[in-house]
Amino acid sequence: MDESEELLGIGAFARRVGLTPSALRFYDDCGVLRPVRVDPASGYRFYGVEQDGRGVLLRRLREAGLPLVDVRVVLDGGEAEARTVLRAHLERTRRTADTARALVEGLLRDLPMEAPEQPLGRAVVGGAELASAVRQVGPAVADAGTRAEFPVLGCVLIEVDDEELRLVATDRYRLAVRVLRARTAGGGPCRVLVDAAELADLATWALRQQYVDVEVYGDGGCLVGEDGERRAFVGRTAEYPDYRLVLEGLDDVRHRVIVGRAVLRAAFAEREKGAALTTRPGAQEAVISGGGGSPVTVSAVCTGPSLRVAFDPAVLVPALDAGVGPDVLLEIASGTAPVVVRSADQGSFTTLVMPVRERVSRETD
């Protein structure tokens, strides 16, 4: 280093990079951030301005909780090594956070509800109805891989509004909305996010109740049975996708297909992503083809012009399973727009499924 270049004392350098002087002394002793020069008489440490970047990165890594062994790899190792270390640390922090959250939620559930607190909203619905609604929206909850990246998609949104109880779930490829008409309701519009696994456990309990009072509080809520037994749940604080914008933004329906739910499921179940459904004007049938299987013709009531739309069976089949009754109604705007999947005799349950690019198999199509 040129002797004419400015050197910074430990206090000035600490302010520049956001570390304390004591931390800098520690990192010097550890060999992670050495000063440019140490005065032999006074022992004072001096740093160069070119060390700013390393100092700031060191601070950020420590704020992220990386141990010094990993910090050294990121600072001095190659790019591939740094990425490996950072990804491993990210996974560790996620697991730690999940464990801590589960423990705290358990503690909160074990605490008695505060008697003076009044719910923001409440709705009384049939216990079996609530359990069925949870089962129906469940397939649209994100899988473990997606939840690791977007934890909020592992939740179900519960809304109380205008004498209705709504349950909403989405994994970005599906959107499920189930509306229950409340027998009685009170309070203003409110919502709460509940972990899907926790809600499934509550649904098992609700199935044994004739009626359940769903109460929503600011940080969670509870289900109250007819005998006064209370089952609390913990709310999640996160921004949930605006499902109303999605529903309001749907294009006008150009095609409607009514088909047996079990028949359509069987036709898609063993196929790979990209299997297609084809309809033609005036034909009382639909053809399912592609995706590694032979074409299958099924009876259907079809309206609208000719249509060919492809699906991922791993997404479509669970949506069909979540329906009720023997029939399913598909409302389709185009081969690329979200497809509305409804139980033909239950308009209060709606699932949106995203089409995919068609996979053509020369051997079977």
Side-chain angles (χ1 to χ4, degrees):
M1 179 176 180
D2 193 309
E3 292 294 333
S4 63
E5 291 186 32
E6 179 186 5
L7 292 179
L8 303 171
I10 192 170
F13 183 71
R15 289 190 291 273
R16 287 173 69 95
V17 299
L19 292 168
T20 64
S22 60
L24 288 173
R25 296 187 188 98
F26 174 75
Y27 294 136
D28 178 15
D29 294 338
C30 294
V32 176
L33 183 56
R34 298 282 196 188
V36 171
R37 186 171 73 86
V38 179
D39 185 278
S42 65
Y44 290 167
R45 294 169 171 83
F46 295 93
Y47 296 82
V49 293
E50 74 280 1
Q51 293 179 284
D52 283 2
R54 186 180 180 91
V56 170
L57 179 56
L58 170 58
R59 172 177 56 79
R60 294 176 64 196
L61 291 170
R62 295 296 278 171
E63 287 175 345
L66 265 77
L68 279 176
V69 173
D70 290 343
V71 167
R72 294 180 70 102
V73 174
V74 177
L75 291 175
D76 300 321
E79 182 178 332
E81 293 176 292
R83 290 185 181 276
T84 299
V85 165
L86 290 173
R87 284 172 177 155
H89 181 69
L90 179 60
E91 183 59 30
R92 285 196 303 272
T93 57
R94 282 174 175 162
R95 289 198 301 267
T96 301
D98 289 343
T99 301
R101 182 174 62 244
L103 289 170
V104 173
E105 287 175 351
L107 293 170
L108 287 172
R109 283 194 298 270
D110 292 341
L111 291 175
M113 297 292 293
E114 297 181 55
E117 186 177 8
Q118 294 297 315
L120 300 176
R122 55 183 295 270
V124 177
V125 296
E129 285 183 287
L130 179 60
S132 174
V134 173
R135 179 191 65 82
Q136 288 178 306
V137 302
V141 174
D143 59 22
T146 303
R147 289 198 302 271
E149 186 175 1
F150 304 103
V152 70
L153 299 184
C155 298
V156 173
L157 175 66
I158 297 178
E159 289 187 328
V160 178
D161 185 17
D162 194 24
E163 297 187 349
E164 290 182 342
L165 179 72
R166 283 186 291 275
L167 277 68
V168 183
T170 181
D171 62 357
R172 299 183 300 169
Y173 303 102
R174 286 169 292 196
L175 171 66
V177 181
R178 179 72 163 93
V179 181
L180 301 178
R181 188 69 178 176
R183 296 175 182 272
T184 60
C190 57
R191 54 167 44 191
V192 63
L193 284 172
V194 186
D195 179 80
E198 181 179 1
L199 188 58
D201 290 340
L202 291 171
T204 301
W205 173 83
L207 188 59
R208 300 192 296 269
Q209 311 293 318
Q210 184 174 4
Y211 299 110
V212 174
D213 188 351
V214 182
E215 298 181 348
V216 176
Y217 296 85
D219 57 353
C222 69
L223 305 185
V224 185
E226 288 185 293
D227 60 357
E229 181 181 359
R230 304 172 72 88
R231 292 295 181 99
F233 56 83
V234 179
R236 301 292 179 86
T237 303
E239 188 69 25
Y240 199 73
D242 192 338
Y243 74 94
R244 286 187 175 86
L245 284 180
V246 176
L247 295 177
E248 292 169 0
L250 291 174
D251 296 331
D252 292 338
V253 175
R254 299 184 65 230
H255 316 268
R256 286 186 171 86
V257 180
I258 300 177
V259 62
R261 190 161 60 93
V263 170
L264 187 63
R265 184 196 189 284
F268 271 98
E270 301 303 323
R271 298 177 188 269
E272 299 175 5
K273 183 177 181 179
L277 179 145
T278 303
T279 66
R280 292 179 175 83
Q284 297 302 300
E285 63 184 25
V287 178
I288 291 84
S289 60
S294 300
V296 174
T297 300
V298 299
S299 298
V301 178
C302 308
T303 62
S306 296
L307 166 72
R308 190 172 178 88
V309 58
F311 296 97
D312 181 355
V315 175
L316 177 62
V317 169
L320 296 174
D321 288 340
V324 296
D327 305 308
V328 66
L329 167 64
L330 306 180
E331 295 184 337
I332 307 167
S334 70
T336 58
V339 175
V340 180
V341 181
R342 288 196 171 104
S343 296
D345 55 355
Q346 188 179 29
S348 61
F349 175 54
T350 301
T351 303
L352 265 60
V353 174
M354 287 300 300
V356 299
R357 182 175 297 179
E358 182 176 355
R359 176 186 180 274
V360 178
S361 173
R362 295 179 181 176
E363 290 79 6
T364 57
D365 288 2

